[in-house]
Amino acid sequence: MTTFDDIIYEVNKKIEEDSFNEEKKKISAGECELLDKTVTFLDIDTDSSGMAVIRYDDEGEVKVSLTDKHLKYFDSLKNKKVYFSGIKTYDYEKMMEKWYIRTIVDVTGREESLVITNKLTEDEKLKFQKSIEKFSPEIRRDLCDKKIALADKKAVNENDGCQIALYSSRDEMEAYYDIVKKVMPKEFRSVYESSRLKSKKISSSEEKTNYIRVMSDILEFDWINNAEYKYIDVEALQEKIGKKHIGYNQQLNEIYTELRASNISKVVPKTLCFIGNPDTGINKLARTIASSIGTGYSIINLAGADFGENEPLIGSSKIYINAKAGFIYDCIKEAGLRGVLVIEDFNLYESNIRSLMTPLLNKTTYMDMFAEVKIDLSNMLVIVTCSDIKKIPQHVRANMTTIYFQDLEEREIVEIINKVIVPKYCKEYGLDFPQNIPVESCKTLIYKHANMNMDKLDSMIRSIVVKTVAKGDKSFPDYSIKPISDYKEEDYEKIRNKYVREITETEHKFFNCYFEYPECIQKKAVKLFNILNFEKNDGLREHAIDVIHYISNIFKPNDKSLVMGSVIEELSKSQYIQNDFAERIEAAILSKELGNNVNRMTVIGLKGKAGTGKSSAAISVAKALNRNFIKINVGGGGGAEVINGCNKKNYNSAPSLIIKELSKSGHGCYSDVIILDEIDKSTPDFMNTLYEFLDPNEEYFYDNYLECFIPKNNFLVMLTFNDISSIPIPIRDRMEIIEYSSYSNSDKKSIITDYVLPKLKTNFNIKDISIDSEALDLYLKNYDISPGIRNAERDFEYILMRIARQNNCTFESVDVHIDQNDIKYTLGKNRTVGLDGIPQLSIGKCGMAQALAVTTSGIGVLMAVETVVNPYQDKNIVITGLLEGSCLESVSVACCFISKYLKKELPKLHIHITEGMKKDGPSAGVTIAMSILSCLLEKPIANISFTGSIDIYGHIRPVGSVFEKCIAAERCGVNTIILPSESYKGLVSEKKDERLSIKMIPVDTIEEVISYVWGK
């Protein structure tokens, strides 16, 4: 509304303008300059023509100028600040400037910012100054600042905050509104003006107050800084982030690219969604970006908040007393419509809160229940941090730029320690930081003390700084000299060797012993701990706990070298050493060490009959190498899960038996001795998996339950089996096979005397124990028929228990002596019945020869081959007894050779083999031939046993299990055994002949046999 004063001002201005233009016409354009100056008016005088000569202060310099005005024009301006406009020339006659004044204004009371600005014309300044004279100095000053800022929108002062609290009265609010309404969005102007109108009409004081509050809320937006797109200084932001955040270069470059594209297009990027665990620092990064861009920003973190009702968030209706805008509206107001909104830990919000936040994530529109203004969020930069993207609806994710922040790499954390965390606290507490913390000490901090938790790491370093200051030191400790492990308080060995199951103890053990785990296990465990910290799915958490329990109890390989002779020494303590068994084991282990063949797993196969000490020998090897051992019996059961485990999705899922057994002690190693027992009785499925496990080209095997690779290069795998023919050839090729033969009688005498009885003496605390040589011979001849020594231990323990019962169930003050009666009475009947198949009445008769065979359990037996001439039978040859397979062929071959040897047709023969056992091999060929010859030549055969196969030319071929057959002959009292030369050479080469007390005659042809038995 135009006032009378305004009309008078406009008239006077018009008169002055016309007068100035008339004077201006008299002056040449080339001789004048523009006059636009504010000075302090000091004094006035006149020249000879009566025109005023003024003296003034121009920025501290006193000057004098002629004017085209009379004295009265300058009344009441003395010692005041005055603005002059017009043109000026130079009067060469009087040697001073002459001013042709257009306007002169007293600006003594004008705001300083309004005086010095060049963004407004003097006319604009004069009108604006006049419009704000009625307000207080604080209001005038703030309105001038806002007016100047709006005159040039790009020149915004970052320190210029909104101080709307100054505008408490309606007139003050209206004055501010008149300034900012030109940059205020239409929807805000409509609501403001509507609220202003209703506040005048409504009689209810409560509602009127609420409408005025709506107006005030609208004016509290920073409309000046949000008038247009603000350029983002990406280089400055990059520099600031580089000082506080290290690592994640790829993710940060993606953010910088989004912001640079925004500067070019003048369009704010889509919502930035940072996905990662809180330890990755995504919240801190989001705040750094928000505070560095140069606009307003607001932080929303409602993790764990439960409001019950939505009013605190979305506001309440104006019809209620004390109604007000909601929290979300206030945050938008704080940030501004072109500001940054950071929504932290979104996945931890309640579902109703997440629903209310959806418009913010989509950057569409938002309406508060109190303000009732439809806010356009498209110009806001929204940053959301979240550790579980599943909590963000799929349709919302489509409108986001998702950036994944994985766990920092170790080198990045070390860099953060030395470039960010330590310098930060050293600066805060006034410490020098002359030298970086060494990498190894940083690792100790990261794993042993901070458990890979960045917040804990920050706290730990601050604690070190505080302790250093408390000691009076001026510099951060030099950990290249003093190890940081000095801060460790607990006994390391106790922690390491303890078996842990409960998750807290497991976590404590894992991070204290972090460096003792292989790298692949370290990475897997860190991921699992993150699942425990941030995963909501109970099934995944339980699986993670179980996996951590297993892998935290197994450490990386023991790198101790083999001490030569240690295996031999340890084996000699616990068992009877056969041949070069110990030397061959040492050679297999030494081969890997000397050849630096770290990528090859040592695999030894122990072949031998049951009870010969294969498993106990493997255990002794583990002790000799100072390694733990695990023993898994795979005979008859178990498939691939024995080695590879069972997938967690399956019923009764579990890790491999190898991992289970290794973790039981609490300090297993990936270099322990693995004993797989009875593999020849395992399933085909297990054999397939074992073939992969023994692959020398693979450094790891995969456990399906743990879902990670396990290092296997340093395992010593010892496989035991009885029958090598049951093991596929590809598996045999991947192992060093060492044969563990049966024990001879002399072996068993030594073992019982030197190992079994002393062991029982120690176990039962017996003062002294002894045995008659006759009793020992009796036991070996009639009771101990097995190839091993396992039954002997049980038998003698049983004998001792009978003696103890006779002595009031104790061995105190008793010297135990075992004689023949003890053995007979305790063990009962002869156990060799049926194994010696030679009828006593047949001994010394023509046509009877002694054959040797071996049972499936590896026990040698003696049987008789009896031949008689029977002209009354229908067939030329009748065969009876348990003969099968190639043994029947041996009869035909023998008959063919004898007929040729005697050069006559054979009579009708009946050949019978006594029922010692089934005979299906060719090794009875020599015995059958000698039996037929003895019958036809009517020459008896002495106490000699035979073994060996023959061909039709009379050549004797080698056969198997010769050592066991010799043991059987020795047990049955046979003095001599005739055997193939090749088989004999095998006994000699393995030094088995030294363990036998029987005469052995090697032969190559049947003629040599005949010559030895009956002479030339």
Side-chain angles (χ1 to χ4, degrees), residues 705-975:
Y705 183 79
L706 302 183
E707 296 180 336
C708 70
F709 287 93
I710 306 297
K712 67 182 180 70
N713 290 343
N714 293 281
F715 283 132
L716 172 57
V717 180
M718 304 193 76
L719 313 173
T720 71
F721 47 89
N722 306 135
D723 183 10
I724 195 171
S725 63
S726 301
I727 300 174
I729 292 176
I731 293 180
R732 293 186 225 169
D733 292 340
R734 291 183 173 181
M735 67 174 89
E736 175 75 20
I737 299 176
I738 300 175
E739 184 175 356
Y740 219 76
S741 66
S742 303
Y743 293 115
S744 67
N745 285 348
S746 61
D747 293 336
K748 290 182 179 179
K749 285 182 180 180
S750 299
I751 293 171
I752 292 172
T753 304
D754 299 336
Y755 295 96
V756 175
L757 294 181
K759 179 181 177 181
L760 294 173
K761 176 185 175 182
T762 303
N763 291 348
F764 298 113
N765 197 22
I766 301 173
K767 183 179 180 182
D768 189 27
I769 186 171
S770 61
I771 185 171
D772 288 342
S773 60
E774 295 82 3
L776 188 55
D777 291 337
L778 175 67
Y779 174 76
L780 295 176
K781 182 178 180 180
N782 295 339
Y783 296 98
D784 188 22
I785 58 175
S786 65
I789 206 66
R790 188 178 299 156
N791 289 338
E793 292 187 23
R794 285 196 290 260
D795 288 340
F796 280 98
E797 183 176 340
Y798 184 44
I799 292 170
L800 289 176
M801 293 304 101
R802 189 188 70 83
I803 295 173
R805 288 197 301 271
Q806 294 173 352
N807 194 44
N808 297 322
C809 299
T810 181
F811 288 112
E812 290 184 8
S813 304
V814 175
D815 292 336
V816 176
H817 180 74
I818 301 173
D819 56 23
Q820 295 185 53
N821 292 330
D822 291 325
I823 292 175
K824 289 178 181 178
Y825 181 81
T826 306
L827 301 181
K829 67 179 182 179
N830 189 347
R831 296 174 183 171
T832 60
V833 174
L835 297 178
D836 183 0
I838 301 178
Q840 293 297 317
L841 296 176
S842 299
I843 298 175
K845 291 187 177 182
C846 297
M848 196 281 288
Q850 299 180 45
L852 293 168
V854 177
T855 66
T856 54
S857 58
I859 301 172
V861 297
L862 195 64
M863 60 180 63
V865 178
E866 300 172 343
T867 304
V868 295
V869 176
N870 184 6
Y872 307 105
Q873 64 189 26
D874 295 333
K875 297 180 180 180
N876 290 331
I877 298 176
V878 174
I879 303 171
T880 56
L882 301 176
L883 274 70
E884 297 177 353
S886 59
C887 189
L888 293 173
E889 298 174 357
S890 297
V891 174
S892 300
V893 173
C895 290
C896 176
F897 172 77
I898 298 301
S899 177
K900 180 182 175 183
Y901 179 75
L902 296 177
K903 299 180 180 179
K904 66 177 182 179
E905 185 179 352
L906 298 182
K908 293 182 178 181
L909 299 175
H910 185 139
I911 302 173
H912 174 70
I913 295 182
T914 54
E915 298 180 1
M917 57 166 286
K918 288 182 179 181
K919 183 63 180 168
D920 58 359
S923 65
V926 174
T927 311
I928 294 171
M930 292 304 294
S931 175
I932 295 172
L933 281 172
S934 175
C935 174
L936 296 178
L937 297 175
E938 296 183 354
K939 290 183 178 182
I941 300 174
N943 190 17
I944 299 173
S945 295
F946 306 91
T947 185
S949 65
I950 64 169
D951 59 18
I952 57 177
Y953 301 109
H955 299 144
I956 300 178
R957 298 181 179 277
V959 292
S961 302
V962 175
F963 186 65
E964 285 73 17
K965 294 173 181 177
C966 292
I967 293 173
E970 190 178 34
R971 185 184 68 240
C972 296
V974 177
N975 298 323

Side-chain angles (χ1 to χ4, degrees), residues 243-245 284 415-433 454-455 457-463 465-466 469 476:
K243 293 178 180 178
K244 296 184 177 181
H245 302 270
K284 186 177 179 182
E415 196 175 356
I416 288 174
I417 291 174
N418 284 315
K419 292 187 177 181
V420 178
I421 303 178
V422 178
K424 175 181 69 175
Y425 287 119
C426 285
K427 182 179 180 180
E428 181 179 342
Y429 287 92
L431 286 182
D432 294 331
F433 183 46
M454 295 302 292
D455 293 334
L457 178 64
D458 187 278
S459 176
M460 181 68 191
I461 293 175
R462 181 183 180 277
S463 174
V465 171
V466 170
V469 172
F476 190 82

Side-chain angles (χ1 to χ4, degrees), residues 126-189:
L126 191 61
K127 287 184 178 180
F128 183 70
Q129 180 70 34
K130 188 175 180 182
S131 67
I132 64 174
E133 284 178 350
K134 58 184 176 181
F135 300 127
S136 65
E138 291 81 4
I139 297 292
R140 290 202 305 268
R141 190 177 306 114
D142 190 67
L143 287 174
C144 284
D145 293 342
K146 299 296 187 294
K147 182 73 173 177
I148 294 168
L150 279 178
D152 184 357
K153 297 172 189 175
K154 294 183 180 179
V156 179
N157 183 5
E158 288 188 359
N159 297 324
D160 188 20
C162 289
Q163 301 173 0
I164 305 302
L166 291 171
Y167 307 102
S168 55
S169 69
R170 185 183 294 273
D171 289 341
E172 292 169 349
M173 291 170 62
E174 288 300 320
Y176 181 65
Y177 175 69
D178 287 341
I179 295 173
V180 299
K181 67 180 180 181
K182 67 176 180 178
V183 293
M184 188 182 292
K186 180 180 178 181
E187 56 269 19
F188 279 89
R189 294 201 305 270

